[in-house]
């Protein structure tokens, strides 16, 4: 089955700096890669996603890049703010199956 | 936007009892619902996939007789933890596919504590 690895497990940055979280996946059939933000005790919230026919997608301060050949994708947050502090999860899924395999999560701390 | 309502948000039960968790899709039809379990500071682990009108598909290592899943309608899926034990204490969360374009939305989660 699919295996998703996420790094780093923890990340601490100063407010205003950029943060990058990386994930690799094993199943070349995966074609949908969402990123979720989860605050303590709350549900994961989709913040951005990318499909395999696209190499990069940007939404304001958040961007995701995908390298299908290398089977890795990354989340980039620019101009970080304290409210960006949360756990971020990447995931991978196939179009037919639908179920997502999640990475282990990255705890991001943005220091004011 | 698409909303999945999950209840209860928090439940404490005694060992040996059963607990039912409900997930309802409020403004869309959820033909597929995914049930996850999340331990503190850990990732979401898929337990099972429920499809409306058919038997759920369980992930390896998940006891189907202990975690009963029912998806009797297009808007309701339930997870029943039977004969709960303290090790079943966890955060249970459902997720539904919103549309064919792969969009998913999560319920608010249920914090189960078995004492």
């Amino acid at each position: 089955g699919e295996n998703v690895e996420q790094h780093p497990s923890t990340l601490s940055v100063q407010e205003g700096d950029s943060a990058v979280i990386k994930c690799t996946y094993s199943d070349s059939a995966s074609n949908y890669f969402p990123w979720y933000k989860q605050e303590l005790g709350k549900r994961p919230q989709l913040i951005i996603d990318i499909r395999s026919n696209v190499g990069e997608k940007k939404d304001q301060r958040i961007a995701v890049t995908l390298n299908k050949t290398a089977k890795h994708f990354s989340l980039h947050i620019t101009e970080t703010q304290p409210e960006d502090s949360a756990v971020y999860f990447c995931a991978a899924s196939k179009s037919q199956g639908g179920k997502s395999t999640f990475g282990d999560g990255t705890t991001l701390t943005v220091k004011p | 936007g698409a909303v999945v309502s999950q209840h209860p948000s928090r439940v404490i039960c005694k060992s040996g009892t059963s607990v039912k968790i409900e997930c309802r899709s409020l403004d869309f039809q959820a033909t597929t619902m995914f049930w996850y379990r999340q331990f503190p500071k850990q990732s979401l682990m898929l337990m099972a996939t429920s499809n409306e009108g058919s038997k759920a598909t369980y992930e390896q290592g998940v006891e189907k007789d202990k975690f009963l899943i029912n998806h009797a309608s297009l808007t309701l899926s339930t997870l029943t933890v039977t004969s709960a034990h303290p090790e079943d204490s966890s955060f249970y969360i459902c997720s539904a596919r919103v549309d064919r374009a792969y969009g998913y939305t999560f319920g608010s989660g249920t914090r189960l504590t078995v004492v």
Side-chain angles (χ1 to χ4, degrees), chain B residues 1 3 5 16 18-19 23 28-30 32 39 43 49 51 56 65 69 74 76 79 92 97 100 102-103 105:
Chain B
V3 176
S5 176
S18 295
V19 173
C23 276
F28 68 101
Q29 294 182 330
T32 302
F39 290 108
S43 189
T49 303
N51 296 292
D65 293 331
I69 290 174
L74 287 170
L76 175 64
L79 167 67
Y92 293 87
R97 192 191 323 187
R100 296 181 63 177
Y102 314 119
T105 188

Side-chain angles (χ1 to χ4, degrees), chain A:
Chain A
E2 175 66 277
N3 182 48
V4 177
E5 294 190 358
Q6 182 172 347
H7 298 282
S9 57
T10 60
L11 179 59
S12 181
V13 300
Q14 287 295 135
E15 182 176 2
D17 287 350
S18 295
V20 180
I21 303 170
K22 298 181 179 181
C23 286
T24 60
Y25 61 100
S26 61
D27 192 339
S28 57
S30 291
N31 59 9
Y32 175 64
F33 309 94
W35 285 90
Y36 295 91
K37 175 183 180 182
Q38 187 179 27
E39 298 177 358
L40 189 63
K42 296 186 177 180
R43 77 185 83 191
Q45 298 275 9
L46 178 69
I47 55 172
I48 197 168
D49 57 9
I50 192 167
R51 293 171 176 77
S52 60
N53 58 345
V54 176
E56 183 174 1
K57 184 177 179 180
K58 188 174 182 179
D59 183 4
Q60 298 183 352
R61 297 186 296 109
I62 296 173
V64 57
T65 58
L66 171 66
N67 183 325
K68 285 175 54 180
T69 303
K71 294 205 281 281
H72 66 69
F73 56 111
S74 300
L75 176 71
H76 304 253
I77 305 174
T78 59
E79 300 173 29
T80 54
Q81 302 167 2
E83 50 266 38
D84 294 330
S85 297
V87 179
Y88 291 81
F89 292 98
C90 64
S93 66
K94 303 175 195 176
S95 59
Q96 298 301 318
K99 62 181 182 181
S100 293
T101 301
F102 285 81
D104 287 340
T106 296
T107 301
L108 174 64
T109 303
V110 180
K111 299 179 180 178

Side-chain angles (χ1 to χ4, degrees), chain B residues 65-85:
Chain B
D65 293 331
K66 181 171 182 60
F67 299 99
L68 301 178
I69 290 174
N70 184 284
H71 197 152
S73 78
L74 287 170
T75 59
L76 175 64
S77 178
T78 62
L79 167 67
T80 301
V81 183
T82 63
S83 187
H85 291 284

Side-chain angles (χ1 to χ4, degrees), chain B residues 13-108:
Chain B
C13 71
K14 293 183 178 180
S15 289
T17 61
S18 295
V19 173
K20 179 184 283 189
I21 302 169
E22 291 188 350
C23 276
R24 293 180 184 274
S25 56
L26 299 186
D27 48 5
F28 68 101
Q29 294 182 330
T31 56
T32 302
M33 192 80 78
F34 303 99
W35 286 93
Y36 295 89
R37 181 174 182 174
Q38 186 178 35
F39 290 108
K41 298 184 179 181
Q42 293 190 24
S43 189
L44 294 105
M45 300 301 297
L46 180 66
M47 298 175 65
T49 303
S50 75
N51 296 292
E52 186 268 335
S54 63
K55 291 183 178 180
T57 302
Y58 289 81
E59 295 299 302
Q60 191 173 9
V62 178
E63 300 176 60
K64 62 180 181 180
D65 293 331
K66 181 171 182 60
F67 299 99
L68 301 178
I69 290 174
N70 184 284
H71 197 152
S73 78
L74 287 170
T75 59
L76 175 64
S77 178
T78 62
L79 167 67
T80 301
V81 183
T82 63
S83 187
H85 291 284
E87 56 264 31
D88 298 325
S89 299
S90 187
F91 188 62
Y92 293 87
I93 192 164
C94 61
S95 170
R97 192 191 323 187
V98 179
D99 56 34
R100 296 181 63 177
Y102 314 119
Y104 299 90
T105 188
F106 283 86
S108 54

